[in-house]
Amino acid sequence: MTQIPVLPSPTWFVGCGNMGGAIIDGWRSAGLSLSNLVVIRPSGKAVDGVRVVTSFADAGPAPKLVVLAFKPQKLDEIAPQLKTWLTSKTVLISLLAGAEADSLKARFPKAGAIVRALPNLPVAVRRGVIALFSRDADDDVRQQVANIVAPLGFAPWMTDEAKCAAVGAVAGAGPAYVARFVDALIKAGEQRGLSTEIASTIALETVFGTAWMAAASNEGMDSIARRVASPNGTTEAGLAVLDKDQVLDQLVALAIDAAARRGTEMANEAKLAALAEPERLS
Ligand SMILES: NC(=O)c1ccc[n+]([C@@H]2O[C@H](COP(=O)([O-])OP(=O)(O)OC[C@H]3O[C@@H](n4cnc5c(N)ncnc54)[C@H](OP(=O)(O)O)[C@@H]3O)[C@@H](O)[C@H]2O)c1
């Protein structure tokens, strides 16, 4: 039986919105104890089973582990206050899309190790993808981080930040794209007279069943598509529309390019801010 990991005491979550909440939901459903966890968030909004405070001063002893779970745009507002609480024993995990390890190191020079973790929302149901990257974590820290994210889903270590960004672009943003595709299936069902309830259930079950079948068999997507489509049949007529000039491939590639470009912009903004205010970051 896999051992349930223990969060270092204390562990701070700085911010706890969609993603922070999803990670805590995943840990809770895996049976992790949340008693070592403190959430720091300005609203003070409750998190089931977790101590919530509105300032670092109220959080208690300096943290062993800090998870940055606020928006990247807040980094320069929060870093100057947070950095004073970090020591060489603190492991810092950043969920911030686009903020690269060097930019984080410039803002949190005292942290013992900095790990970037790019998750996606299905961590809430323990079927997430979490890309991990670090420049300075030793084997012990890597093992500690791997242990605590293991209950949340598939968590590969990436060898460079470009690959980390690629996972973020595909898997981090992916649930939004899959949601849009399911929505398009639902609308198509409704247009053919199905109730919203039935259309929603069958669209979701179709996506879920296809993913489950593919994962269970390792069968390629093209092979699955061909097995559904008999020559000159109904599915083949539909696939001809999606496949014409690789229209679907191109549309998805365009969406992912746009997300990746925005990620690069955000990384550059974070680098420029670090260069612009070096005295604050020392
Ligand atoms: N959502 C995703 O699918 C996804 C995927 C990959 C990576 N990420 C990354 O995850 C991070 C969080 O995203 P999100 O979607 O969870 O954002 P979100 O839902 O907007 O949550 C942001 C959180 O930041 C908190 N916050 C704002 N100002 C703060 C301050 N001064 N001090 C401490 N906390 C503060 C907010 O607190 P209150 O709740 O009290 O207002 C809120 O809990 C981002 O960096 C994002 O790049 C998200």
Side-chain angles (χ1 to χ4, degrees):
M1 204 176 81
T2 329
Q3 254 199 329
I4 299 173
V6 177
L7 293 175
S9 178
T11 293
W12 287 6
F13 256 60
V14 186
C16 187
N18 288 303
M19 185 47 76
I23 290 174
I24 293 174
D25 284 348
W27 280 341
R28 192 185 293 106
S29 76
L32 245 86
S33 165
L34 303 177
S35 61
N36 292 340
L37 188 58
V38 183
V39 163
I40 299 118
R41 66 192 305 186
S43 67
K45 206 170 142 205
V47 179
D48 189 21
V50 180
R51 189 160 80 87
V52 177
V53 298
T54 55
S55 73
F56 296 118
D58 292 332
K64 295 262 175 42
L65 175 69
V66 175
V67 180
L68 306 185
F70 49 79
K71 290 285 188 199
Q73 293 81 355
K74 290 272 174 181
L75 180 58
D76 283 311
E77 181 189 322
I78 294 171
Q81 310 155 47
L82 174 59
K83 73 172 182 179
T84 62
W85 297 89
L86 308 188
T87 72
S88 60
K89 294 199 166 33
T90 317
V91 174
L92 186 135
I93 298 181
S94 166
L95 309 181
L96 277 54
E100 291 180 349
D102 286 346
S103 296
L104 294 164
K105 186 73 188 165
R107 287 164 174 85
F108 302 106
K110 286 191 196 149
I114 293 178
V115 176
R116 292 190 65 196
L118 282 181
N120 66 5
L121 276 183
V123 291
V125 292
R126 307 182 56 204
R127 292 307 305 246
V129 171
I130 309 122
L132 298 171
F133 176 80
S134 179
R135 289 197 190 291
D136 55 6
D138 63 19
D139 287 349
D140 284 351
V141 170
R142 282 170 183 263
Q143 193 57 57
Q144 182 191 23
V145 172
N147 286 348
I148 61 174
V149 299
L152 303 173
F154 176 58
W157 285 95
M158 309 311 293
T159 49
D160 62 64
E161 284 194 294
K163 291 201 180 69
C164 206
V167 177
V170 175
Y177 307 145
V178 174
R180 282 281 196 269
F181 184 74
V182 175
D183 211 28
L185 285 179
I186 294 170
K187 285 175 184 145
E190 287 171 337
Q191 278 160 14
R192 267 145 205 82
L194 298 177
S195 70
T196 303
E197 196 190 347
I198 290 289
S200 303
T201 306
I202 62 159
L204 203 55
E205 285 298 319
T206 301
V207 172
F208 191 58
T210 308
W212 191 276
M213 180 176 73
S217 66
N218 278 329
E219 185 177 3
M221 294 304 140
D222 192 51
S223 163
I224 290 177
R226 284 181 199 285
R227 280 205 295 129
V228 183
S230 41
N232 214 16
T234 54
T235 309
E236 197 171 75
L239 282 180
V241 175
L242 291 181
D243 293 348
K244 187 169 187 303
D245 302 325
Q246 284 102 40
V247 62
L248 183 61
D249 288 356
Q250 291 202 29
L251 191 61
V252 171
L254 278 176
I256 289 186
D257 280 354
R261 264 199 312 280
R262 182 63 192 127
T264 306
E265 279 171 19
M266 284 160 66
N268 288 338
E269 283 160 18
K271 276 182 205 153
L272 287 173
L275 286 174
E277 297 180 71
E279 74 286 355
R280 208 180 66 184
L281 305 173
S282 60

